Amino acid sequence: MQPDFSKSRIAVLGAGKMGGILVKALVEKHRLSPERVRATVAHESRVQDLSRKLGVTVTTDNLAAVDGADVILVCVKPQVVQELTEQIADKVTDKQLVISVAASVHTSQIETALGGGVPVVRAMPNTPCVLGQGMTALCKGQYARPEHVETACALFNAVGRTVVVDEKHMDAVTGLSASGPAYIYIILESLAEAGVKVGLPRDIATLLAAQTTLGAATVVLETGDHPALLKDAVTTPAGCTIDGIMELEEGKLRVTLIKAVVKATQRAKELANG
């Protein structure tokens, strides 16, 4: 049974891009009354405009926002997390759930700053969450119980899909799914350019590339079949596809993508270690 957010009070600390997406999801997808959501920003100049845009109370007062909240979403930049969590520590209790979307910030760091055995869940969403097609990996801190993880999953399911992993895998998640959209955009751009090269109008080439990518990804998700098996189904003997695949292999596309994920994962580890 999915958690019911309708009676919850939610604080979103740092209503930037991801914070704003989550505020909208809470109100629209979880049917949470806007009066039950409080969001914060760093600068007073943004308060009125953002409040009007999101339809919820927006303030610069983090302490007021977390007071009485059931779930606290920490959506500030990673370099601000330590200062923020120390600021709100006296107001946060072990009856509240803290969910952080700050990349490369360990749950232990947040737990130490907050003290008192506060349950913490760490989330790594990606940018397609803006259209409800995101991928979010979650891991729990030492004080978080299964129901806390369930609550976090339910929240992020409103903006896409979720998976629960051990925290040791979060840097790899960052390298694959958080950075992954950028890799896909490069592939899409390249396919569209190829379409132009062989005579297609640019808008049609882009549409063909994007819908083909979406369709292929949907088949993987819906069938559960291994991508290699699906590739083989498209590749007929002595056909066009095998010639194209040979070019991809000669250009080392497969190895290059693997190396991109490895490199991004290594960078995530470096940021996590300061």
Side-chain angles (χ1 to χ4, degrees), residues 31-51:
R31 300 195 175 118
L32 183 63
S33 169
E35 289 77 24
R36 292 183 169 273
V37 181
R38 284 175 286 186
T40 69
V41 291
H43 304 292
E44 186 68 40
S45 59
R46 296 191 59 216
V47 168
Q48 289 189 351
D49 182 58
L50 202 57
S51 181

Side-chain angles (χ1 to χ4, degrees), residues 2-3 5 30 71 97 99 146-156:
Q2 291 292 332
F5 287 97
H30 288 298
V71 179
L97 169 61
I99 303 174
E147 58 266 31
H148 294 131
V149 177
E150 185 180 348
T151 295
C153 284
L155 195 157
F156 284 94

Side-chain angles (χ1 to χ4, degrees), residues 81-103:
V81 170
Q82 185 69 28
E83 178 185 351
L84 173 68
T85 48
E86 289 177 353
Q87 178 192 27
I88 64 174
D90 289 341
K91 282 285 187 179
V92 178
T93 74
D94 60 3
K95 304 299 181 185
Q96 298 168 298
L97 169 61
V98 174
I99 303 174
S100 168
V101 301

Side-chain angles (χ1 to χ4, degrees), residues 38-274:
R38 284 175 286 186
T40 69
V41 291
H43 304 292
E44 186 68 40
S45 59
R46 296 191 59 216
V47 168
Q48 289 189 351
D49 182 58
L50 202 57
S51 181
R52 197 162 41 244
K53 180 180 177 182
L54 297 177
V56 302
T57 299
V58 179
T59 177
T60 57
D61 191 342
N62 292 315
L63 292 175
V66 302
D67 189 20
D70 299 295
V71 179
I72 300 167
L73 283 157
V74 176
C75 302
V76 298
K77 295 178 180 178
Q79 58 266 34
V80 184
V81 170
Q82 185 69 28
E83 178 185 351
L84 173 68
T85 48
E86 289 177 353
Q87 178 192 27
I88 64 174
D90 289 341
K91 282 285 187 179
V92 178
T93 74
D94 60 3
K95 304 299 181 185
Q96 298 168 298
L97 169 61
V98 174
I99 303 174
S100 168
V101 301
S104 300
V105 179
H106 292 168
T107 55
S108 59
Q109 179 182 336
I110 298 172
E111 289 164 346
T112 299
L114 293 175
V118 175
V120 175
V121 172
R122 177 180 166 191
M124 188 68 257
N126 63 10
T127 54
C129 286
V130 69
L131 293 179
Q133 295 296 325
M135 184 69 236
T136 303
L138 303 113
C139 68
K140 69 183 190 71
Q142 64 174 321
Y143 305 116
R145 299 188 298 276
E147 58 266 31
H148 294 131
V149 177
E150 185 180 348
T151 295
C153 284
L155 195 157
F156 284 94
N157 279 336
V159 291
R161 296 179 181 237
T162 58
V163 63
V164 179
V165 300
D166 291 335
E167 187 156 22
K168 65 182 179 181
H169 296 309
M170 289 298 275
D171 292 328
V173 167
T174 301
L176 176 55
S177 70
S179 299
Y183 314 150
I184 301 301
Y185 296 142
I186 291 174
I187 292 171
L188 280 173
E189 182 185 25
S190 300
L191 289 172
E193 289 292 316
V196 173
K197 172 67 175 174
V198 295
L200 291 170
R202 186 172 296 278
D203 58 341
I204 292 177
T206 301
L207 174 61
L208 288 168
Q211 183 60 39
T212 299
T213 303
L214 174 63
T218 301
V219 171
V220 173
L221 291 171
E222 295 298 327
T223 66
D225 290 341
H226 194 285
L229 179 64
L230 296 171
K231 176 206 68 180
D232 289 348
V234 181
T235 311
T236 55
C240 303
T241 306
I242 189 61
D243 282 353
I245 290 174
M246 285 179 64
E247 289 294 324
L248 293 178
E249 295 292 2
E250 187 175 334
K252 299 183 179 180
L253 176 66
R254 186 193 304 263
V255 172
T256 301
L257 288 171
I258 292 171
K259 290 171 70 175
V261 173
V262 171
K263 194 70 173 179
T265 300
Q266 290 172 344
R267 180 57 179 155
K269 290 182 185 294
E270 291 171 3
L271 292 173
N273 295 327

